[in-house]
Amino acid sequence: MDKPEVIAVLDVGKTNKKLALYDVALNPVDFRKIALNPTPTGDGLEYEKTGELFDWTCRSLAEYSRQYQIRGFGVTTHGATFAAVDEQGDLVHPVFSYLSPAGSMVEEEFYREFGTPEEIHVETCTPPFGFANVAKQIFYLQKMFPEDWERAAHILYFPQYIGYLLTGNIAADPTYLGCHTYLWNLSENRPSEIAKILGIDRMMPSRISAPWEKLGKISTRVSGRFGIEGEIPVMVGIHDSNASLLPYLAKDVGQFTLVSTGTWCVAMTPSANFDFASDELGTKTFYILSAFNRPVKAAIFPGGLEFSEFADIAGATEVKDQLVLRQVCIERELFLTGGLVEDAKAFSHSEPGLYVGDKFVEFKTLKEQGPEEYGVTADQLLSALILSIAIQTVELLNHTGRADGGVIFVEGGFSENDLYCGLLAALVPGNKVKLSEMREATSFGTALCVWKMVEEVELGEIASRFELKTKSVEAIEVDGLEDYREAYLKLVTADSCNSP
């Protein structure tokens, strides 16, 4: 009996790693995941568990290959991660986790050597992201582990490192090159001056291919070791945010912005060129490259993280009485401001905390004493919180080129928060806000790439096999909402934001 034909996708999130199978109609067939948290060393460094990830992936593929005919394999990973390997392909040093607190040790020295954050922002289209930046990690490796660095021969980005382990072949793709690495001049499509000064421009892969191009086949050495049946081609690989964006590009939905929500909220708008407004330099506004090697303007803030932290203080996650939210808007005496991650604020002057009348309560104090100490109920705090998240999202949309008439697609965790979605729609009346019903968008976008590689057809042919199922959002009518937003903006754009 013939085995069913599928393709396999490895989706490497920061914590959960997922392996999913899709049939030719892009229906999910099977799925498994594992949590592999980075390993802390005790000296401020954390390392990705690449060995465990590779073994788990290959063992899973071997099991699946006995049940299915796996036509192809694709990889998508989170950003800001690289592997330095020697001439034999072995790691010269474990793969850094971008959350390593020790990364701050080289922050000032990095900018002294390579230029101000603003200058680098202009050349590489990338603002400062702390250690979530491949150039800084390479600089750290050179400074702190020079003996290891001396053995380095190749710099591989995370999706392509996994592909290299499977196939033995080396390449890069535009989505990872152009995703806040500091190593690529996006507008000129070449290595940046930082890459040249670091001495790695020639260590980066000379082959730059579209994500869906074939990197190679799983080697006989790997398939024999793990018992993987069949000859399985492997695609070059794609960055996760770009994979989420791809279904919308494939369906050619016109002018749109995708807001992907979760721990990090990311707004992405396909653009015609690379262009920053003067007030965007210094914000977390940047460009990435799509799977088609074209500009996508993006902005980011940790909306899900902020919601979780402040909701924990409130002791609840939902506003029970929306009349409270309406009263908060009308009175304009209660504002919650974000900024829990210093390097990723929606508003550069914002400090995390709560304004109660003319008093500002810092986040740390609010967490220690609780909102009741300031006469604030859980519903009031949550109302201010959800208003804050919605207003910060609009700021992201504005920075990424939101224009009236375009569609805003919302996917991820906040798409299930009716109050957030209704407020967002009310704050952008010139746009249609739609909720995407797509689940596991990152894996799905990668699956499009794998089937394109396998069948060697245009992406439009693959896109004809699925529908973008969406639901329109009705704006919530709230008296005083726009006045509340204006008052909020005054607090977070002033030179001293905690001086109302």
Side-chain angles (χ1 to χ4, degrees), residues 204-357:
M204 296 160 63
S206 57
R207 174 187 169 187
I208 302 173
S209 302
W212 46 72
E213 290 190 19
K214 181 180 174 181
L215 180 64
K217 292 182 179 180
I218 294 180
S219 68
T220 55
R221 180 180 62 82
V222 172
S223 59
R225 174 187 167 193
F226 290 97
I228 301 171
E229 298 181 8
E231 292 189 348
I232 303 175
V234 178
M235 75 178 222
V236 168
I238 188 169
H239 176 255
D240 56 5
S241 293
N242 299 76
S244 297
L245 190 68
L246 192 57
Y248 302 88
L249 295 174
K251 295 297 276 189
D252 193 17
V253 297
Q255 181 183 344
F256 77 97
T257 298
L258 176 63
V259 181
S260 179
T261 64
T263 300
W264 291 90
C265 293
V266 187
M268 296 175 284
T269 305
S271 305
N273 49 41
F274 302 95
D275 184 30
F276 289 110
S278 59
D279 63 348
E280 290 172 349
L281 294 176
T283 70
K284 294 303 175 281
T285 306
F286 55 106
Y287 280 92
I288 59 177
L289 294 172
S290 74
F292 298 97
N293 200 24
R294 295 172 188 157
V296 176
K297 200 170 188 181
I300 187 170
F301 86 107
L305 173 66
E306 292 190 351
F307 184 87
S308 176
E309 290 288 338
F310 281 104
D312 185 59
I313 293 173
T317 58
E318 294 183 9
V319 177
K320 294 180 180 179
D321 185 355
Q322 289 193 21
L323 290 176
V324 174
L325 183 141
R326 297 173 190 276
Q327 197 67 28
V328 167
C329 277
I330 292 171
E331 294 177 351
R332 297 195 296 280
E333 290 290 319
L334 193 68
F335 299 88
L336 187 149
T337 49
L340 288 177
V341 179
E342 179 65 31
D343 288 323
K345 297 179 180 182
F347 297 96
S348 58
H349 291 285
S350 181
E351 297 297 331
L354 185 70
Y355 289 88
V356 185

Side-chain angles (χ1 to χ4, degrees), residues 335 347 391-392 395 398 482-494 497:
F335 299 88
F347 297 96
I391 291 168
Q392 290 182 77
E395 182 71 4
N398 291 339
E482 188 56 38
D483 290 336
Y484 184 90
R485 176 177 176 269
E486 290 300 320
Y488 183 101
L489 293 178
K490 288 180 180 179
L491 295 175
V492 295
T493 56
C497 79

Side-chain angles (χ1 to χ4, degrees), residues 15 23 29 32 45 73 86 95 170 229 252 260 315 329 373 426 499:
T15 299
D23 65 18
V29 174
R32 62 179 60 180
L45 286 175
F73 179 77
D86 61 19
V95 174
I170 288 176
E229 298 181 8
D252 193 17
S260 179
C329 277
E373 179 74 17
S499 300

Side-chain angles (χ1 to χ4, degrees), residues 102-135:
S104 61
M105 292 172 58
V106 297
E107 188 83 359
E108 291 184 7
E109 186 178 357
F110 182 91
Y111 289 113
R112 281 199 304 270
E113 185 153 340
F114 296 104
T116 67
E118 292 75 19
E119 291 169 337
I120 298 172
H121 198 165
V122 170
E123 186 202 354
T124 68
C125 296
T126 297
F129 279 117
F131 207 48
N133 177 281
V134 172

